[in-house]
Amino acid sequence: DHRDLHSFPTRRSSDLIMQQAVPLEKHDLEAAFRSLAEVSHQLDASYRDLESRVARLNEELAASRSARLDELAEKERLLERLASLMAMLPGGVLLVDERQQVRDANPEAVALFGEPLLGEDWPAVQARIREREPERHLSLHSRRLAQQGETLVLVTDTTELHDLQAQVGREQRLSALGEMAARLAHQIRTPLSSTTLYLAQLRRPDLAVAQRERICDRLAERLVHMEGLIESMLGFVRGAPPRTELICLQDVLGDFQANVQARLQAAGATLSVTPVDRTLALRGDRDALAGALANLVVNAIEAGGAAVHVDVWAGALNRERMLLRVRDNGPGVAQELRERIFDPFFTTRSTGTGLGLAVVARTVNELGGEIRLGDSPQGGAEFILEFPVAEGEG
C-alpha cells in the first residue's frame, strides 16, 4: 500500500527511520517519486487557482472602488445641483431645529426676512417681519423631518398675488354691476314699451272715458311692475337674498300676458297661452319669471317680424317637474348658432345687445330650472323651460 509521503503518520515515519537499514527496492522509490510529483502538481494547481482568485478579487475590488467613486461623484454633483436649485428658488426655504432656531436658509429666505437669520428664534423672526412690514403677505408651509427632528419651512411671498386677487375681486364686482344693469334694462324694456304705447293711445281725442280709465289702470300696473323690478335690483345690490316666495304659475302667465299685450298689438303679432289651474306652483321670483317669458316673446317678435305667432304651453311632467314651452313660427335658430345663443353679448342683429336670452337663462337657473332649445315642427324657434314643482304643491 504505497501512499503520498506527506500523508504518512508520525508513527509510520518513526518505523521507517528504524528500518533505514533495510534498503528500498526500485519500485518503491518510483512510487514515492510519483507521489511526490502528484503532490507538487496539486500544489502548483492550487497556487495557480489561488492566484487567479486573487486577481479576480483585485478586479472586483477595483470595479467596486471605481463604482463607489462614481457614486460619490454623482452624489456630489446632485448636492451641488440641489444647492444651486435652492439658491435659485423663488421662495424661501428654512430649516428649523427642535429648539425652534433657524439652522439653515436659502438666499431668498434671507432676502424675505433680512439679517440676522441663522441661529435666530423662528417665532421671533416671524414677529419681526410682521411688525416691520405689515402690508406684506407671506404663505408658510412646514413639514417635520421625523428622523432628524427638524422642520422644513417653505415661504412664499404672496403680496403680489393678494393685490391681484383684490383687483380681480373689484373687477368681478364691476362686472356683476354691469350684468345687473343689463338685466334691469331688459326687464324694464317690455313694460316700458307697453307704457309708451298706452300713453300714445291716451292722446287720441276720440277715446271714450271708460276706455281711457282702463288704459290708465294698465299704465298704473306697468309702473308698479317696473317699480318692483327696480326694487329687486336694488335688493341685489344690497346683497339681499333673491325672493323665493311660493308663486302660482297661473299668476305668472297672467302677468306675462299683460306685459306683452301692447307690444304684440303694435307688431301685429298673436299669442296663445295654454290655461293652467292654480294647483301648479313653484318657488321663486314672480316678476323675474314673467319678465323672462316676456323677453322670449319680444325676441320672437324681433326675429320673426310682422304677423309672427307665439304659442306658450305649460303643464306638469310629473309630481316633481313642470314644463313651459315657448314656440313661434319665425325663422328659427340656425344650427351653427344653437350652442352660443345663450352666451352674453352674442347677437346676430346689428341693433341687438346679445343679453336678452342670457338674462332669460340666468333667471331660469336662479329659479332652479333649466332652459334649452327644442325642435319646433313649424320650423321656428322653440324654448323649453323646466322647473321643479314646489314641495307640497302640484
Side-chain angles (χ1 to χ4, degrees):
D1 183 14
H2 301 290
R3 300 181 180 177
D4 190 3
L5 291 178
H6 295 281
S7 62
F8 287 167
T10 306
R11 184 176 59 81
R12 296 292 302 273
S13 300
S14 61
D15 291 344
L16 181 61
I17 294 172
M18 293 175 61
Q19 298 175 5
Q20 285 181 354
V22 181
L24 294 173
E25 297 184 3
K26 182 179 180 180
H27 68 276
D28 292 332
L29 290 174
E30 291 177 351
F33 279 115
R34 283 195 301 270
S35 298
L36 182 61
E38 290 178 359
V39 171
S40 176
H41 179 72
Q42 292 176 359
L43 288 174
D44 184 64
S46 297
Y47 175 77
R48 292 180 181 279
D49 182 62
L50 181 61
E51 189 178 42
S52 176
R53 291 185 180 181
V54 170
R56 285 197 301 270
L57 287 175
N58 286 334
E59 291 176 357
E60 292 176 359
L61 182 60
S64 175
R65 182 172 179 273
S66 177
R68 182 63 175 171
L69 291 175
D70 292 341
E71 183 181 352
L72 290 175
E74 181 64 23
K75 287 183 177 180
E76 185 176 355
R77 285 194 296 270
L78 289 175
L79 287 175
E80 291 178 356
R81 185 178 181 184
L82 180 60
S84 299
L85 290 175
M86 293 288 287
M88 296 298 294
L89 280 177
V93 181
L94 301 97
L95 196 63
V96 181
D97 64 14
E98 295 177 335
R99 295 179 299 173
Q100 290 295 295
Q101 291 184 343
V102 180
R103 287 304 176 196
D104 201 0
N106 70 339
E108 184 65 20
V110 176
L112 287 173
F113 293 101
E115 299 277 21
L117 184 58
L118 299 183
E120 296 291 311
D121 289 335
W122 174 232
V125 171
Q126 297 182 70
R128 181 181 69 195
I129 192 66
R130 284 195 296 266
E131 180 179 354
R132 189 176 64 188
E133 300 183 63
E135 298 299 324
R136 172 174 283 187
H137 298 270
L138 298 178
S139 174
L140 304 179
H141 299 277
S142 61
R143 180 67 60 86
R144 186 169 180 80
L145 306 178
Q147 295 181 351
Q148 293 83 358
E150 298 172 324
T151 302
L152 185 68
V153 182
L154 304 178
V155 185
T156 305
D157 190 348
T158 59
T159 304
E160 185 176 351
L161 178 61
H162 185 271
D163 295 341
L164 181 61
Q165 288 176 340
Q167 181 179 353
V168 170
R170 289 192 295 269
E171 292 179 355
Q172 287 177 342
R173 288 193 294 271
L174 289 174
S175 176
L177 183 60
E179 182 180 353
M180 180 201 66
R183 187 174 181 181
L184 177 60
H186 276 276
Q187 294 286 358
I188 288 181
R189 184 177 62 175
T190 301
L192 186 60
S193 299
S194 300
T195 303
T196 304
L197 292 171
Y198 287 141
L199 287 173
Q201 292 180 9
L202 285 177
R203 295 172 62 90
R204 291 171 49 190
D206 58 340
L207 195 64
V209 175
Q211 193 173 3
R212 189 182 303 273
E213 291 178 353
R214 186 166 59 252
I215 291 176
C216 289
D217 292 339
R218 290 179 177 175
L219 276 172
E221 291 176 0
R222 296 304 93 209
L223 292 173
V224 170
H225 177 63
M226 284 189 288
E227 183 181 6
L229 291 175
I230 294 173
E231 185 63 30
S232 297
M233 290 301 171
L234 290 176
F236 174 80
V237 173
R238 292 191 296 264
R243 292 194 303 179
T244 56
E245 60 181 346
L246 182 66
I247 55 177
C248 178
L249 186 58
Q250 185 183 75
D251 295 336
V252 173
L253 294 177
D255 293 345
F256 149 68
Q257 292 179 78
N259 289 345
V260 298
Q261 183 177 6
R263 189 67 180 269
L264 289 168
Q265 292 176 356
T270 56
L271 171 69
S272 62
V273 179
T274 302
V276 296
D277 56 34
R278 301 194 65 81
T279 61
L280 200 57
L282 66 157
R283 290 192 175 276
D285 190 326
R286 173 174 167 176
D287 291 337
L289 180 54
L293 294 175
N295 276 338
L296 290 177
V297 172
V298 171
N299 190 73
I301 293 173
E302 292 178 348
V308 68
H309 176 74
V310 182
D311 176 73
V312 178
W313 181 92
L317 297 175
N318 49 48
R319 295 183 61 86
E320 298 178 352
R321 307 290 291 181
M322 70 171 66
L323 185 142
L324 280 81
R325 184 184 64 214
V326 181
R327 177 187 293 171
D328 64 61
N329 60 351
V333 181
Q335 189 65 35
E336 64 272 14
L337 305 179
R338 294 175 70 90
E339 293 184 358
R340 302 183 57 192
I341 196 169
F342 295 110
D343 293 346
F345 306 108
F346 175 75
T347 180
T348 58
R349 297 192 302 270
S350 59
T351 58
T353 62
L355 291 172
L357 292 178
V359 169
V360 172
R362 174 75 176 272
T363 302
V364 172
N365 291 333
E366 288 180 350
L367 292 172
E370 301 175 358
I371 182 171
R372 62 184 184 274
L373 275 174
D375 296 312
S376 174
Q378 301 173 355
E382 180 181 83
F383 295 91
I384 298 175
L385 291 69
E386 190 173 333
F387 298 97
V389 175
E391 293 184 6
E393 304 291 338

CSV table of all heavy atoms in Angstrom, one decimal, residues 194-196 198-199 202 214-224:
chain,number,residue,atom,x,y,z
A,194,SER,N,-94.8,98.9,-23.2
A,194,SER,CA,-96.2,98.9,-23.1
A,194,SER,C,-96.7,100.3,-22.6
A,194,SER,O,-97.8,100.8,-23.0
A,194,SER,CB,-96.6,97.8,-22.1
A,194,SER,OG,-96.2,96.6,-22.6
A,195,THR,N,-96.0,100.8,-21.6
A,195,THR,CA,-96.4,102.2,-21.1
A,195,THR,C,-96.4,103.2,-22.2
A,195,THR,O,-97.3,104.1,-22.3
A,195,THR,CB,-95.4,102.5,-20.0
A,195,THR,OG1,-95.4,101.5,-19.0
A,195,THR,CG2,-95.8,103.9,-19.3
A,196,THR,N,-95.4,103.2,-23.0
A,196,THR,CA,-95.3,104.2,-24.1
A,196,THR,C,-96.5,104.0,-25.1
A,196,THR,O,-97.1,105.0,-25.5
A,196,THR,CB,-94.0,104.0,-24.9
A,196,THR,OG1,-92.9,104.1,-24.0
A,196,THR,CG2,-93.8,105.0,-26.0
A,198,TYR,N,-99.4,102.7,-24.4
A,198,TYR,CA,-100.7,103.2,-23.7
A,198,TYR,C,-100.7,104.7,-23.7
A,198,TYR,O,-101.8,105.3,-23.8
A,198,TYR,CB,-100.7,102.6,-22.3
A,198,TYR,CG,-101.0,101.1,-22.2
A,198,TYR,CD1,-100.3,100.4,-21.3
A,198,TYR,CD2,-101.9,100.5,-23.0
A,198,TYR,CE1,-100.5,99.0,-21.2
A,198,TYR,CE2,-102.2,99.2,-22.9
A,198,TYR,CZ,-101.5,98.4,-22.0
A,198,TYR,OH,-101.7,97.1,-21.9
A,199,LEU,N,-99.6,105.4,-23.4
A,199,LEU,CA,-99.6,106.8,-23.5
A,199,LEU,C,-100.0,107.4,-24.8
A,199,LEU,O,-100.7,108.4,-25.0
A,199,LEU,CB,-98.2,107.4,-23.0
A,199,LEU,CG,-97.9,107.2,-21.6
A,199,LEU,CD1,-96.4,107.6,-21.3
A,199,LEU,CD2,-98.8,108.0,-20.7
A,202,LEU,N,-103.7,107.3,-25.2
A,202,LEU,CA,-104.4,108.3,-24.4
A,202,LEU,C,-104.4,109.6,-25.1
A,202,LEU,O,-105.3,110.5,-24.8
A,202,LEU,CB,-103.7,108.5,-23.1
A,202,LEU,CG,-103.9,107.4,-22.0
A,202,LEU,CD1,-103.0,107.7,-20.8
A,202,LEU,CD2,-105.4,107.3,-21.6
A,214,ARG,N,-109.6,102.5,-18.4
A,214,ARG,CA,-108.9,101.2,-18.5
A,214,ARG,C,-107.5,101.3,-18.9
A,214,ARG,O,-106.6,100.6,-18.3
A,214,ARG,CB,-109.7,100.3,-19.5
A,214,ARG,CG,-109.2,98.9,-19.5
A,214,ARG,CD,-110.2,98.0,-20.3
A,214,ARG,NE,-110.3,98.4,-21.7
A,214,ARG,CZ,-111.5,99.0,-22.1
A,214,ARG,NH1,-112.5,99.2,-21.3
A,214,ARG,NH2,-111.6,99.3,-23.4
A,215,ILE,N,-107.1,102.2,-19.8
A,215,ILE,CA,-105.7,102.4,-20.2
A,215,ILE,C,-104.9,103.0,-19.0
A,215,ILE,O,-103.8,102.6,-18.8
A,215,ILE,CB,-105.6,103.3,-21.4
A,215,ILE,CG1,-106.2,102.5,-22.6
A,215,ILE,CG2,-104.2,103.7,-21.7
A,215,ILE,CD1,-106.2,103.4,-23.9
A,216,CYS,N,-105.5,103.9,-18.3
A,216,CYS,CA,-104.8,104.5,-17.1
A,216,CYS,C,-104.6,103.4,-16.0
A,216,CYS,O,-103.5,103.4,-15.4
A,216,CYS,CB,-105.7,105.6,-16.5
A,216,CYS,SG,-105.7,107.1,-17.5
A,217,ASP,N,-105.5,102.5,-15.8
A,217,ASP,CA,-105.3,101.4,-14.9
A,217,ASP,C,-104.1,100.5,-15.3
A,217,ASP,O,-103.3,100.1,-14.5
A,217,ASP,CB,-106.6,100.5,-14.8
A,217,ASP,CG,-107.7,101.3,-14.1
A,217,ASP,OD1,-107.4,102.3,-13.4
A,217,ASP,OD2,-108.9,100.9,-14.3
A,218,ARG,N,-104.1,100.2,-16.6
A,218,ARG,CA,-102.9,99.4,-17.1
A,218,ARG,C,-101.6,100.1,-17.0
A,218,ARG,O,-100.6,99.5,-16.7
A,218,ARG,CB,-103.2,99.0,-18.6
A,218,ARG,CG,-104.4,98.0,-18.8
A,218,ARG,CD,-104.6,97.7,-20.2
A,218,ARG,NE,-105.7,96.7,-20.4
A,218,ARG,CZ,-106.2,96.3,-21.5
A,218,ARG,NH1,-105.7,96.8,-22.7
A,218,ARG,NH2,-107.1,95.4,-21.6
A,219,LEU,N,-101.7,101.5,-17.2
A,219,LEU,CA,-100.4,102.2,-17.1
A,219,LEU,C,-100.0,102.2,-15.6
A,219,LEU,O,-98.8,102.0,-15.3
A,219,LEU,CB,-100.7,103.7,-17.4
A,219,LEU,CG,-100.6,104.1,-18.9
A,219,LEU,CD1,-101.0,105.5,-19.1
A,219,LEU,CD2,-99.1,103.9,-19.4
A,220,ALA,N,-100.9,102.3,-14.7
A,220,ALA,CA,-100.5,102.2,-13.3
A,220,ALA,C,-99.9,100.8,-13.0
A,220,ALA,O,-98.9,100.7,-12.2
A,220,ALA,CB,-101.8,102.4,-12.4
A,221,GLU,N,-100.5,99.7,-13.5
A,221,GLU,CA,-100.0,98.4,-13.3
A,221,GLU,C,-98.6,98.3,-13.8
A,221,GLU,O,-97.7,97.7,-13.2
A,221,GLU,CB,-100.9,97.4,-14.0
A,221,GLU,CG,-102.3,97.2,-13.4
A,221,GLU,CD,-103.1,96.3,-14.2
A,221,GLU,OE1,-102.6,95.7,-15.2
A,221,GLU,OE2,-104.3,96.0,-13.8
A,222,ARG,N,-98.3,98.8,-15.0
A,222,ARG,CA,-97.0,98.7,-15.6
A,222,ARG,C,-96.0,99.5,-14.8
A,222,ARG,O,-94.8,99.0,-14.6
A,222,ARG,CB,-97.0,99.2,-17.1
A,222,ARG,CG,-97.8,98.5,-18.1
A,222,ARG,CD,-97.4,97.0,-18.1
A,222,ARG,NE,-98.3,96.2,-17.2
A,222,ARG,CZ,-97.9,95.1,-16.6
A,222,ARG,NH1,-96.6,94.6,-16.8
A,222,ARG,NH2,-98.7,94.4,-15.8
A,223,LEU,N,-96.4,100.7,-14.3
A,223,LEU,CA,-95.5,101.5,-13.5
A,223,LEU,C,-95.2,100.7,-12.1
A,223,LEU,O,-94.0,100.8,-11.7
A,223,LEU,CB,-96.1,102.8,-13.2
A,223,LEU,CG,-96.2,103.7,-14.4
A,223,LEU,CD1,-96.9,105.0,-14.1
A,223,LEU,CD2,-94.8,104.1,-15.0
A,224,VAL,N,-96.2,100.1,-11.5
A,224,VAL,CA,-95.9,99.4,-10.3
A,224,VAL,C,-95.0,98.2,-10.6
A,224,VAL,O,-94.1,97.8,-9.8
A,224,VAL,CB,-97.3,98.9,-9.7
A,224,VAL,CG1,-97.0,97.9,-8.6
A,224,VAL,CG2,-98.1,100.1,-9.2
